[in-house]
Amino acid sequence: EPRVSYAAFPRTELELRAPFAYRESNAEPRGGLVGVGVGAFHNFLVESERMPALAAEGELLFSAGGSLTRGDTYSVRGIATRTFGRYRLHANAAYGTYRVPIPSSDAPDIPQIPDTPCSINPGSGGSSRGRVAAACLATSQLAMASSQSDLGGSRWLFGAAVDRTLPLRSLLVVADVFAEEYRGLERPIDWTVEAGLRRQIALRTVLEASAGTRFTGPSPAWFVSLGV
């Protein structure tokens, strides 16, 4: 999921994202560019003694040939961060849309996994980037089922996180938990928990690693991430 961001204005960042998917050899579509996302992030308020830091983020994702569905989706998110001693607490709330492939009548009975903008990182309030690509891309099982139509709907997300900085070790540790509901699919709420760290290993080099699990919903999953 390559992306590039640019601090175009004071406290404002513009972002371009191009997620890819790769599936089993008998899947259709086999994979490729899932979409192109155009987004923006703006910090409205810097944290003070009385007020938390407040920010907002939004993205429009245009589907491409590697996606299981057709049609654009969007997401908007509000972020709040507050420092308590050595710890920072974050709260995220998001709203957006999704699309889901509807298998044909002769397809196997498999869960419906929505296609959504994968940029939502519900916990960290900017401390780390999205870790849940495994949780928001559709599975290859749905790709192998012939799709008759693309249905969609609205979804909401709420998450909370805590992080702590160890300055003498150039280390940041963060953990979060979040819930996400896809309205109209008659499925339980997805709950995900994850933890990770970010270490400054050189003047211009940062190492990130994380792991998590989506432990409820129709498609539980584990995922790991490593970046530099």
Side-chain angles (χ1 to χ4, degrees), residues 68-158:
L68 300 181
T69 62
R70 294 295 176 265
D72 307 329
T73 55
Y74 72 88
S75 63
V76 292
R77 179 164 66 115
I79 307 166
T81 295
R82 182 71 168 168
T83 303
F84 295 92
R86 298 180 179 181
Y87 298 89
R88 289 190 306 173
L89 298 182
H90 311 278
N92 284 211
Y95 179 84
T97 58
Y98 72 88
R99 290 182 174 274
V100 61
I102 303 300
S104 60
S105 58
D106 57 348
D109 185 17
I110 53 180
Q112 294 176 332
I113 311 299
D115 274 348
T116 65
C118 297
S119 66
I120 290 185
N121 177 30
S124 67
S127 297
S128 60
R129 277 306 191 183
R131 310 293 188 214
V132 290
C136 54
L137 285 179
T139 63
S140 58
Q141 283 183 305
L142 278 176
M144 289 183 284
S146 59
S147 179
Q148 293 179 326
S149 61
D150 294 339
L151 298 181
S154 63
R155 64 193 180 101
W156 64 261
L157 178 147
F158 179 79

Side-chain angles (χ1 to χ4, degrees), residues 3 15 25 27 67 84 91 111 117 152 154 171 177-179 186 191:
R3 71 177 72 207
E15 185 175 87
S25 58
S67 175
F84 295 92
S154 63
L171 183 66
V177 60
F178 62 94
E186 298 181 355
W191 282 90

